[in-house]
Amino acid sequence: MKILVAVKRAIDYNVKARPKSDGSGVDLANVKMSMNPFDEIAVEEAIRLQEAGKAGEIVAVSVGPAACQETLRTAMAMGADRGILVQTDDEVQPLAVAKLLKALVDKEQPGLVILGKQAIDDDSNQTGQMLAGLLGWGQGTFAAKVEIGDGTASVKREVDGGIQTLTVKLPLVVTADLRLNEPRYVKLPNIMKAKKKPLDTVTPADLGVDITPRIKLVKVSEPPARAGGVKVADVNELVAKLRNEAKVI
Amino acid sequence: MSSLVIAEHNNQTLNVATLNAVAAAAKLAGDVHVLVAGHNCGAVAQAAAHAAGVSKVLCADAPHYAHALAENVAPLVVGLAGAYSHVLVAATTSGKNVMPRIAALLDVAQLSEIIEVKSDDTFVRPIYAGNVLATVQSLDGIKAITVRTTAFDPVATTGGTGTVEAIAAGPDAGLSQFVGEELTKSSRPELAAASIIVSGGRGVGSSENFAIIEALADKLGAAVGASRAAVDAGYVPNDYQVGQTGKVVAPQLYVAIGISGAIQHLAGMKDSKVIVAINKDEEAPIFQVADYGLVGDLFKEVPALVEALSK
């Protein structure tokens, strides 16, 4: 069974994003970019399934500008076998990403697609579910554990009240939550090896997908800042403040 | 122009998050209808019909809707959506699971976790862990929306005079099956609905030590939350997590104990009315958002706080 895993180049999770002063977008000049942390978990899961003999080839896919090659090389250094970059400098929204991935699934015929549950830049949490819908496949979202069986997968999901278990028919789409695994550190020899792995580039037009945005960004702004608070000396002062000043207890 | 809100429920009671989503829908032009898809869910449909501002409830009752599986609910909604300008659901794990599937099948974009309705096609939503607010305009005919519940006060559970209309169920897609669930049982209030939340972080140090957090929560009648670090370390279950990718909460009082205040955690709680931080590290970023900060050892200060509250 081939696995397709989708990875996004996103702002590094340690960086605090700020709006540009004219409100036209987010200031990403000279900002550190990394693989979206949830996608790292997705790649790790694919590799673990391969190591457990449950999967064959792992194909990593990214959508975006040429710089996404780096993200794909990271996925390959972790253990993905090859990469495909759907290259475009235009904005690509989740629905368009799902359509591009569907086109690649039609071509590559994987038995499983794994994605991060959301990207930490636009916080959309959409692409995996959209892809499953377009493919007519089952979906195991917010996965905390995935077990591949005979024709089905058992997926434990992080839900609001705790953990839910589903059985989903193969092929399926899985989206990775935080507790699915802990991604491995990439070792230097593997970075060198990854440079020799095949990386193909295609365009949205090659795949016959219209990526015209359906949502227009009107403006971005900074959220209202919280007024600075005070330090209290001890618990008695804290209780007094909460009772008499804030009146919340 | 009218809106369809997908109800979240457990076949017996309507989840209050649905009332937050109805409140967002009420800010749009036209009527508000609610879809209840479930099994033996008549009581839920009645409850939805009584919610303020709801003019009609569509009820689809079939065994394969019992657990709100996206593969079954999405085609049902897609079949109804043509009559609506907006389809909304609360941004709970259930809503976030199903709405993008609906949007893709309708070939429309989704607007995730809106916090404000500017007009019928323009909305505000947080991005980058809430560090940036984006005002976005949908160019699609049908707007598929998930609603951040903390941004919209729930409509009243009474006052609505909606009619309940049974609608035909669609087929079981047969793609997925519900096996079971392990839900955290607690006598404390639910995180999403609590007016006071006491959260612990990595500084708490162990699962056993979380008893200190729980003692304070019980003293205050509060829910217990946690940072990602505490959940990853196995101190508490995943559903305690407050943050960018966990639960987003906005209680009257949020007490952060042994939590440094990573941006991912702040994203989940910075809209709380009053924030208290107790941390031994004076430089911890949590103090930048705290209304009241107490620098000290949580193992000493928290029991002392419980005692001070008893006076």
Side-chain angles (χ1 to χ4, degrees):
Chain A
M1 181 179 75
K2 190 193 279 186
I3 299 180
L4 197 129
V5 56
V7 294
K8 183 176 188 180
R9 181 173 182 266
I11 192 169
D12 186 82
Y13 78 103
N14 280 314
V15 178
K16 187 175 172 182
R18 287 180 202 287
K20 286 183 195 164
S21 54
D22 64 359
S24 64
V26 175
D27 190 359
L28 292 176
N30 304 317
V31 164
K32 186 182 177 199
M33 304 292 276
S34 299
M35 188 190 297
N36 176 43
F38 289 94
D39 300 346
E40 268 187 78
I41 299 172
V43 174
E44 177 66 35
E45 192 64 16
I47 298 164
R48 290 188 189 191
L49 287 169
Q50 189 187 57
E51 286 169 348
K54 299 281 186 191
E57 191 185 31
I58 300 169
V59 183
V61 178
S62 192
V63 178
C68 295
Q69 286 184 14
E70 262 175 63
T71 318
L72 287 168
R73 292 290 173 202
T74 305
M76 290 189 277
M78 287 176 73
D81 298 299
R82 61 185 168 96
I84 303 174
L85 171 60
V86 182
Q87 192 171 337
T88 173
D89 290 329
D90 296 332
E91 183 196 0
V92 194
Q93 295 178 346
L95 179 63
V97 174
K99 289 179 181 179
L100 293 166
L101 292 175
K102 179 183 184 291
L104 287 173
V105 168
D106 290 343
K107 223 163 114 178
E108 297 282 342
Q109 298 285 316
L112 173 64
V113 181
I114 315 181
L115 311 84
K117 77 163 179 179
Q118 89 187 52
I120 62 166
D121 47 12
D122 62 16
D123 283 334
S124 286
N125 191 337
Q126 300 174 5
T127 306
Q129 297 90 311
M130 287 181 155
L131 175 62
L134 294 175
L135 289 165
W137 292 6
Q139 63 188 55
T141 55
F142 323 146
K145 191 173 184 190
V146 178
E147 285 174 318
I148 304 295
D150 192 13
T152 61
S154 167
V155 183
K156 286 197 191 301
R157 308 179 53 235
E158 295 199 11
V159 296
D160 286 332
I163 294 282
Q164 180 192 64
T165 306
L166 299 180
T167 301
V168 188
K169 265 192 190 160
L170 290 169
L172 84 155
V173 174
V174 165
T175 73
D177 214 321
L178 289 170
R179 254 72 60 177
L180 185 57
N181 59 52
E182 266 186 64
R184 66 196 62 196
Y185 287 102
V186 174
K187 297 192 187 96
L188 187 62
N190 292 342
I191 296 176
M192 303 312 289
K193 251 190 262 171
K195 288 183 178 159
K196 298 200 184 85
K197 291 184 179 177
L199 197 166
D200 292 329
T201 301
V202 295
T203 66
D206 294 339
L207 298 172
V209 175
D210 176 6
I211 60 165
T212 311
R214 305 291 193 83
I215 294 174
K216 190 179 137 195
L217 182 66
V218 178
K219 64 161 187 170
V220 298
S221 58
E222 218 159 331
R226 285 190 78 93
V230 295
K231 292 263 168 59
V232 293
D234 56 31
V235 292
N236 292 318
E237 190 188 345
L238 177 59
V239 171
K241 293 263 192 203
L242 290 176
R243 279 193 180 136
N244 307 324
E245 195 175 89
K247 296 187 168 62
V248 287
I249 57 169
Chain B
M1 292 281 289
S2 52
S3 299
L4 182 66
V5 176
I6 304 167
E8 177 163 348
H9 60 88
N10 60 3
N11 298 306
Q12 281 141 32
T13 51
L14 184 69
N15 187 319
V16 65
T18 308
L19 303 176
N20 301 100
V22 169
K27 293 183 185 290
L28 300 162
D31 292 344
V32 179
H33 297 177
V34 173
L35 171 67
V36 176
H39 186 43
N40 297 329
C41 55
V44 177
Q46 286 302 329
H50 291 140
V54 174
S55 64
K56 196 200 292 191
V57 175
L58 306 174
C59 183
D61 200 316
H64 55 275
Y65 294 139
H67 299 288
L69 296 172
E71 297 85 346
N72 291 336
V73 174
L76 177 72
V77 178
V78 169
L80 300 167
Y84 295 94
S85 53
H86 299 78
V87 182
L88 305 95
V89 73
T92 58
T93 48
S94 176
K96 290 191 274 199
N97 183 46
V98 71
M99 187 56 88
R101 193 171 177 110
I102 294 166
L105 293 172
L106 291 170
D107 193 25
V108 302
Q110 174 183 305
L111 303 136
S112 291
E113 306 229 10
I114 64 159
I115 59 169
E116 190 185 338
V117 175
K118 289 272 191 197
S119 72
D120 285 337
D121 66 1
T122 304
F123 307 87
V124 180
R125 55 176 302 261
I127 53 176
Y128 291 87
N131 287 310
V132 178
L133 300 182
T135 303
V136 290
Q137 182 184 14
S138 164
L139 308 174
D140 287 311
I142 301 172
K143 279 74 168 146
I145 294 168
T146 66
V147 176
R148 176 160 297 186
T149 54
T150 54
F152 297 90
D153 290 333
V155 298
T157 52
T158 56
T161 52
T163 52
V164 177
E165 184 184 312
I167 59 167
D172 183 348
L175 292 169
S176 55
Q177 234 183 333
F178 173 83
V179 178
E181 55 194 356
E182 303 149 41
L183 301 183
T184 305
K185 289 194 180 68
S186 170
S187 51
R188 300 189 188 94
E190 266 186 65
L191 260 183
S195 59
I196 303 180
I197 294 173
V198 180
S199 279
R202 194 196 299 276
V204 179
S206 72
S207 179
E208 293 73 36
N209 288 351
F210 240 80
I212 299 171
I213 306 296
E214 288 164 352
L216 177 59
D218 290 341
K219 188 77 214 168
L220 291 167
V224 175
S227 69
R228 177 189 171 183
V231 177
D232 282 357
Y235 304 165
V236 288
N238 65 282
D239 50 293
Y240 282 47
Q241 185 176 325
V242 172
Q244 180 184 15
T245 67
K247 291 195 175 77
V248 177
V249 297
Q252 291 292 303
L253 172 61
Y254 188 91
V255 186
I257 299 170
I259 291 176
S260 63
I263 51 178
Q264 290 81 9
H265 186 75
L266 301 184
M269 44 66 81
K270 67 184 163 65
D271 292 328
S272 305
K273 182 161 174 271
V274 174
I275 297 173
V276 170
I278 301 177
N279 202 300
K280 66 180 177 196
D281 176 11
E282 199 175 344
E283 303 298 319
I286 191 77
F287 287 121
Q288 288 163 20
V289 300
D291 299 281
Y292 303 112
L294 177 58
V295 179
D297 178 6
L298 73 93
F299 298 104
K300 184 175 144 264
E301 301 297 349
V302 177
L305 179 55
V306 173
E307 208 182 302
L309 285 164
S310 309
K311 281 182 207 160

